[in-house]
Amino acid sequence: MAEGLLIVLSGPSGVGKGTVGKILAAEKEDLFFSISMTTRSPRPGEIEGINYFFVGEEEFKKKIEQGDLLEWARVYDDYYGTPKEVVLNSLKRGQDVLLEIDTQGAGMIKSNFPDGVFLFLLPPSLNQLKLRIIGRGTETEEKLNKRFNSAYQEILEAKGYDYFVVNDFPERAAQEILHIIRAEKLKMKRNAHLIEILRGDGCIQCP
Ligand code: 5GP
């Protein structure tokens, strides 16, 4: 069985990764969304084990030492990381996995999973991005400024990704991502075994 596709989705704070992610989850039920671990405090409405696994700094550092994280990064003033085992098991089962992580973490994944698909969600403009972060109303002024400043820096790093998707409308952006996933899964390099099946007189897509 072919391994699942590892899809990495990055984008600056406030670009709408969460909203686009929810649409993807509804449209592609077999996609496994990795739930990250973080030392940041939950925002109102966020649920343990659904949005994040919220842990203390000591516990997070222990996970790093034990090699339990596939990647991790310090983003703003907190640690974020991807639990390793559940992701690797899903990929082995042939399930596609989506990681919604920052550019530092994506770099770590790229070195270990060169066959991953790296997507960057861009805002239609920087002004729109500012308005969205302010509109969310969940950050202190100091934190807002930190996020604005790093947004531009992060956008510069988008050049290293495979695809950009503009989040003008979340539904449209999600559809574009689904098209990319479909096309990636049809790449010959991921399907060389099908040629062998045909050569053996087998059937690869029988009615
Ligand atoms: P937020 O605090 O807004 O939920 O997330 C802040 C940033 O951390 C976002 O850019 C998000 O993509 C990133 N992030 C969330 N989970 C992870 C993770 O597991 N690893 C890394 N490297 N970044 C993450």
Side-chain angles (χ1 to χ4, degrees):
M1 184 206 278
E3 279 220 338
L5 197 65
L6 183 60
I7 304 145
V8 172
L9 179 66
S10 300
S13 177
V15 76
K17 287 169 292 195
T19 314
V20 171
K22 273 191 196 130
I23 301 170
L24 289 175
E27 301 256 333
K28 187 168 163 45
E29 284 170 13
D30 58 341
L31 185 61
F32 176 77
F33 278 72
S34 159
I35 299 168
S36 299
M37 193 165 276
T38 184
T39 59
R40 131 162 122 56
S41 311
R43 294 190 185 119
E46 284 187 331
I47 300 167
E48 162 75 16
I50 302 258
N51 302 95
Y52 281 106
F53 295 108
F54 297 99
V55 297
E57 207 167 305
E58 204 174 306
E59 193 179 339
F60 193 97
K61 286 184 173 162
K62 207 161 145 195
K63 294 279 176 195
I64 299 175
E65 275 168 29
Q66 290 170 344
D68 290 343
L69 300 178
L70 203 57
E71 62 73 38
W72 63 273
R74 196 178 165 106
V75 188
Y76 313 116
D77 289 326
D78 290 296
Y79 289 96
Y80 295 79
T82 302
K84 188 195 268 179
E85 203 181 336
V86 63
V87 169
L88 293 186
N89 287 342
S90 302
L91 290 173
K92 263 190 219 136
R93 275 201 307 270
Q95 196 173 11
D96 298 334
V97 174
L98 187 116
L99 308 183
E100 195 248 279
I101 60 176
D102 87 315
T103 49
Q104 307 169 70
M108 252 195 238
I109 295 289
K110 188 136 194 167
S111 337
N112 297 325
F113 295 85
D115 279 346
V117 183
F118 295 81
L119 310 174
F120 199 95
L121 203 57
L122 286 170
S125 72
L126 280 184
N127 199 37
Q128 278 237 7
L129 187 69
K130 262 190 189 177
L131 294 176
R132 283 187 200 167
I133 299 177
I134 293 169
R136 195 154 70 180
T138 53
E139 315 293 339
T140 62
E141 195 166 339
E142 190 199 336
K143 284 200 169 174
L144 274 180
N145 285 334
K146 256 193 183 161
R147 286 185 180 233
F148 288 151
N149 293 339
S150 58
Y152 184 68
Q153 206 48 47
E154 272 187 89
I155 285 170
L156 294 182
E157 289 172 46
K159 288 178 192 163
Y161 282 65
D162 299 318
Y163 297 94
F164 74 89
V165 175
V166 179
N167 188 18
D168 45 0
F169 298 102
E171 180 63 48
R172 197 203 61 79
Q175 288 306 325
E176 211 156 74
I177 292 173
L178 291 172
H179 290 315
I180 293 168
I181 295 174
R182 278 185 213 119
E184 279 289 335
K185 288 178 82 77
L186 293 175
K187 275 196 168 162
M188 198 53 94
K189 71 170 183 186
R190 302 188 200 281
N191 292 286
H193 65 287
L194 297 182
I195 307 299
E196 294 310 314
I197 294 174
L198 283 181
R199 280 178 59 193
D201 233 2
C203 174
I204 52 174
Q205 205 160 294
C206 301

